[in-house]
Amino acid sequence: GFVIDKYLSDLAKKGLRTSIRDNLDTDVQMIDCGEDILISWTKLGNHISADADNLELIKNIGIATLYYNKATGEFHDYSMTSSDDKKEVFIRPRVVYDNESGLAQLFYEKMNVGSLTLDSTMKELQEMPTTLSMRYNVLDGNSFRWSEEKEIAISENALKYFDVSNTLGRNVLA
């Protein structure tokens, strides 16, 4: 859509979209937050060497978020959520916004890839343990930041699919 095209165009103008790996960004979600549109997506980290192997690429996947102000046409409050020790990847972001409280929530899967090697099969990757996590936005001065992560219990550590929505004024996780 227009907002994503504008964002990518702005990055290119600033010389920040220079790698084919930028095309690895997936799972774009957008939610109307009143004055802003909150955009979230699964993103490859920014500090990857040019000769990175597939294992390094996988272990540098996280969740990016960015607000787009509808009145000014400007982006603000970019944030990247990822694992510092590269033993977990954060994938499949879903965002939901409550008009009444002004609270945005970010849900995502966190996969433990600490035992992943270059010899791991796709089946082994798909069977890596996952958890469901949530953060909410916090106004910090004039900008937003995400709260500390909260894990959501799932049965048998076997999350297959989830989604979120605001239905009849209530945020719903399904």
Side-chain angles (χ1 to χ4, degrees), residues 1-16:
F2 169 76
V3 173
I4 298 299
D5 290 343
K6 181 176 179 357
Y7 173 66
L8 295 176
S9 173
D10 287 356
L11 284 180
K13 287 177 190 170
K14 295 176 183 174
L16 298 175

Side-chain angles (χ1 to χ4, degrees), residues 18-38:
T18 58
S19 169
I20 190 70
R21 284 176 284 174
D22 288 326
N23 295 326
L24 296 176
D25 295 356
T26 62
D27 285 327
V28 176
Q29 300 285 305
M30 295 191 307
I31 190 85
D32 190 327
C33 295
E35 295 176 8
D36 294 302
I37 295 172
L38 173 57

